[in-house]
């Protein structure tokens, strides 16, 4: 095996691991670096060189400018190419050509392509691309095709930078810091929008964020039967540039059934299966697994004192587990599991519905196996953070009445509410 590994790897006196190990860089499949790591590496290297030149007067400014500017420019090119590929899952019905990305190094063409696709995908890209425009255009004006800082002459034997004879490295570094911040902001926006569009809560005309805006503009649902609603609807169509009633109805249909948007029109969506009574029952049994702990008397071993090793405690837990199995349906059990898991992250309410479906499929598969069902329930009864996660999920799903009722009935849940709502 060792000889096989040696055959698969190529090391020489220049490129190899050595001491100290903290300076051994992980490349290739070792750490699996991708384009973001390459792009960030070039930009960070450029910033580090700027810092070195500014602080160390022995550095020859006229020499360092080339690796500094080239690394900055190459890092930006890599980021733009990467960002174009990351647009694909955002409104996936709008195609993005990623095949020809390697065919050009022209940063002006790449930036123009990115903006065209991004603005088609979501209007929230406009602000960040407007702020990035000056930085990218500055680079494209001086070094459009990655030749200017690599070679002194062009392919046509024309000397580079004759019209830009001075470049201040302190200023360049300052600009690069601002550029890096904007790139980080754009990257965060793209990652967020990928997750947002995965929820499916959008139409061909409106994003999820715009649906929230529409929900805020709509009157309470009980007023929709009034004659005045027709005028309100027409105004909303104009506000969101919707050409037809069909586009408006599609948007409203999503709003009416959405855990976060529906309350904005005075509609509350109930949980998938669990009721207040079901949750109260589960929390009562959960409390058996997590009793108030007394402090061990001085000189007493924790192993002698702890209820974990108390047979009576074990009996009560087994009884509580059996009661949950008897009292709650598989749909409710799946909902309780989904609420806990959703509460751990609680980003998009659509995640709750996906988790419910997944847990329901899981429980249905094991419903005939009592031991597996008990193991499923026990997993959540043992969770010390169950109350906190439940509160987070109920809050995100706008179940305020359920939260209030549970807090009034259960002291443990009330403590979690105080922590959750801080």
């Amino acid at each position: 095996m060792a000889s096989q590994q040696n055959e698969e790897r190529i090391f020489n006196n220049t490129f190899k691991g050595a001491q100290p190990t903290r300076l051994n860089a992980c490349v290739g499949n070792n750490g699996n670096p991708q384009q973001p790591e390459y792009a960030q590496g070039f930009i960070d290297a450029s910033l580090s060189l700027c810092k070195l030149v500014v602080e160390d007067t022995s550095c020859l400014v006229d020499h360092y400018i080339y690796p500094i500017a080239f690394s900055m420019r190459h890092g930006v090119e890599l980021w733009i190419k990467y960002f174009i590929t990351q647009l694909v899952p955002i409104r996936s019905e709008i195609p993005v050509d990623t095949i020809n990305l390697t065919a050009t190094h022209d940063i002006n063409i790449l930036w123009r392509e990115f903006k065209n696709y991004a603005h088609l995908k979501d209007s929230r890209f406009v602000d960040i691309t407007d702020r990035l425009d000056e930085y990218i255009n500055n680079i494209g004006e001086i070094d459009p095709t990655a030749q200017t800082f690599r070679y002194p002459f062009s392919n046509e034997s024309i000397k580079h930078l004759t019209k830009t004879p001075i470049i201040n490295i302190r200023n360049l570094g300052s600009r690069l810091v601002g550029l890096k911040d904007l790139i980080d902001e754009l990257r965060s926006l793209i990652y967020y929008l990928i997750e947002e569009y995965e929820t499916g809560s959008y139409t061909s005309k409106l994003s999820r964020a715009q649906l929230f805006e529409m929900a805020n503009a709509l009157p309470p649902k009980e007023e929709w039967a009034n004659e005045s609603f027709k005028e309100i609807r027409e105004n909303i169509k104009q506000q969101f540039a919707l050409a037809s009633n069909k586009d408006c109805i599609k948007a409203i249909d999503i709003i009416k059934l959405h855990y976060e948007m529906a309350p904005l029109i005075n509609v509350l969506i109930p949980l998938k299966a669990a009721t207040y009574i079901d949750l109260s029952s589960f929390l009562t049994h959960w409390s058996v697994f997590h009793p108030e702990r007394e402090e061990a008397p001085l000189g007493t071993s924790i192993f002698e004192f702890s209820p974990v090793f108390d047979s009576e405690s074990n009996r009560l837990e087994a009884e509580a587990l059996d009661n949950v199995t008897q009292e709650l349906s598989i749909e409710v059990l799946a909902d309780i599991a989904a609420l806990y898991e959703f509460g751990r992250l609680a980003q998009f309410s659509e995640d709750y519905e996906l988790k419910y479906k997944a847990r329901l499929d899981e429980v249905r598969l094991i419903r005939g196996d009592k031991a597996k069902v008990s193991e499923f329930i026990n997993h959540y009864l043992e969770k010390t953070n169950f109350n906190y996660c439940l509160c987070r999920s109920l809050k995100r799903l706008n179940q305020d009445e359920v939260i209030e009722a549970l807090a009034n009935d259960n002291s443990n849940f009330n403590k979690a509410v105080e922590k959750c709502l801080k």
Side-chain angles (χ1 to χ4, degrees):
M1 184 65 183
S3 61
Q4 183 180 355
Q5 287 183 340
N6 289 335
E7 291 174 0
E8 293 172 352
R9 298 179 181 184
I10 302 174
F11 293 113
N12 57 39
N13 288 334
T14 304
F15 296 97
K16 67 177 183 178
Q19 295 295 326
T21 56
R22 69 179 183 84
L23 295 179
N24 285 340
C26 296
V27 296
N29 288 327
N30 183 13
N32 197 30
Q34 301 295 321
Q35 191 138 322
E37 286 75 29
Y38 276 68
Q40 198 61 47
F42 278 103
I43 286 180
D44 286 346
S46 181
L47 277 171
S48 294
L49 286 174
C50 283
K51 185 173 184 293
L52 175 66
V53 172
V54 169
E55 294 178 353
D56 187 349
T57 56
S58 69
C59 294
L60 292 177
V61 176
D62 294 348
H63 293 179
Y64 275 81
I65 183 60
Y66 302 109
I68 287 174
F70 173 77
S71 295
M72 175 190 73
R73 189 227 171 274
H74 189 56
V76 172
E77 178 187 328
L78 291 178
W79 272 127
I80 296 173
K81 287 181 174 180
Y82 173 72
F83 289 152
I84 291 173
T85 66
Q86 295 305 293
L87 290 175
V88 172
I90 300 173
R91 284 194 181 277
S92 55
E93 67 275 13
I94 300 176
V96 175
D97 180 11
T98 60
I99 297 175
N100 297 316
L101 283 181
T102 57
T104 183
H105 294 287
D106 192 317
I107 205 165
N108 294 316
I109 292 174
L110 291 168
W111 182 236
R112 186 165 59 248
E113 285 288 289
F114 173 77
K115 288 197 297 180
N116 288 341
Y117 286 130
H119 295 175
L120 279 174
K121 296 278 188 172
D122 195 287
S123 61
R124 281 169 284 184
F125 281 115
V126 174
D127 175 65
I128 183 65
T129 54
D130 283 351
R131 285 183 286 137
L132 271 165
D133 256 336
E134 184 195 1
Y135 290 91
I136 309 298
N137 291 340
N138 282 178
I139 295 172
E141 182 180 12
I142 303 301
D143 189 4
T145 59
Q147 299 296 312
T148 301
F149 294 100
R150 291 171 71 190
Y151 309 108
F153 294 91
S154 70
N155 293 336
E156 293 77 28
S157 299
I158 299 173
K159 192 171 182 61
H160 287 136
L161 297 169
T162 56
K163 295 181 179 180
T164 313
I166 296 175
I167 300 172
N168 184 276
I169 289 182
R170 183 189 292 275
N171 177 70
L172 184 63
S174 176
R175 293 286 290 175
L176 182 51
V177 169
L179 174 58
K180 182 183 176 183
D181 288 343
L182 290 175
I183 287 173
D184 288 343
E185 186 178 337
L186 175 56
R187 176 172 53 173
S188 295
L189 176 61
I190 289 176
Y191 289 166
Y192 174 81
L193 290 179
I194 289 173
E195 292 187 9
E196 182 185 285
Y197 277 94
E198 283 178 351
T199 67
S201 296
Y202 64 95
T203 71
S204 60
K205 306 295 183 181
L206 301 176
S207 67
R208 188 177 186 271
Q210 289 170 319
L211 290 173
F212 271 98
E213 290 179 34
M214 178 183 281
N216 277 306
L218 286 166
K221 189 173 182 295
E222 58 267 24
E223 297 179 13
W224 292 5
N226 298 343
E227 190 66 25
S228 59
F229 181 67
K230 291 181 180 178
E231 182 180 350
I232 293 172
R233 187 175 61 187
E234 288 304 312
N235 290 337
I236 286 174
K237 282 170 59 181
Q238 291 181 17
Q239 178 183 345
F240 293 96
L242 301 177
S244 67
N245 285 335
K246 185 178 179 182
D247 290 330
C248 190
I249 290 169
K250 281 182 180 179
I252 289 174
D253 284 344
I254 292 175
I255 292 169
K256 289 189 300 184
L257 299 175
H258 195 277
Y259 276 100
E260 296 170 84
M261 300 180 203
L264 299 174
I265 57 171
N266 206 28
V267 173
L268 294 180
I269 309 298
L271 297 175
K272 303 304 293 183
T275 64
Y276 152 71
I277 294 174
D278 296 324
L279 294 174
S280 180
S281 172
F282 187 86
L283 290 178
T284 298
H285 299 307
W286 178 90
S287 297
V288 175
F289 280 70
H290 308 274
E292 294 289 337
R293 302 294 186 186
E294 300 177 28
E295 290 188 13
L298 289 176
T300 304
S301 166
I302 187 173
F303 298 104
E304 295 172 352
F305 182 79
S306 175
V308 172
F309 299 93
D310 185 354
S311 60
E312 176 63 12
S313 175
N314 293 336
R315 184 189 67 78
L316 290 173
E317 289 180 3
E319 186 178 292
L321 177 59
D322 187 59
N323 287 337
V324 172
T325 307
Q326 298 298 322
E327 294 171 9
L328 304 180
S329 68
I330 60 169
E331 290 79 12
V332 170
L333 293 175
D335 203 359
I336 287 171
L339 286 167
Y340 170 76
E341 293 175 11
F342 173 60
R344 294 175 63 195
L345 298 175
Q347 184 170 14
F348 301 109
S349 58
E350 293 88 343
D351 294 339
Y352 160 65
E353 300 183 73
L354 292 173
K355 290 181 185 300
Y356 173 72
K357 183 180 183 304
R359 296 292 75 79
L360 184 59
D361 289 344
E362 179 184 352
V363 180
R364 281 174 172 167
L365 284 175
I366 63 173
R367 65 188 305 174
D369 190 324
K370 185 177 179 180
K372 288 185 177 180
V373 171
S374 294
E375 183 180 349
F376 178 90
I377 299 169
N378 192 71
H379 176 73
Y380 297 98
L381 285 172
E382 289 185 341
K383 293 297 181 184
T384 57
N385 63 341
F386 182 87
N387 284 312
Y388 176 73
C389 291
L390 175 62
C391 178
R392 287 193 73 204
S393 61
L394 292 175
K395 189 64 182 174
R396 194 59 185 266
L397 299 171
N398 288 291
Q399 306 295 311
D400 293 342
E401 291 183 4
V402 177
I403 292 175
E404 184 178 358
L406 290 174
N408 288 335
D409 285 353
N410 190 291
S411 61
N412 284 320
F413 186 75
N414 186 50
K415 291 176 184 176
V417 170
E418 292 174 358
K419 179 182 177 183
C420 178
L421 301 184
K422 277 184 179 179

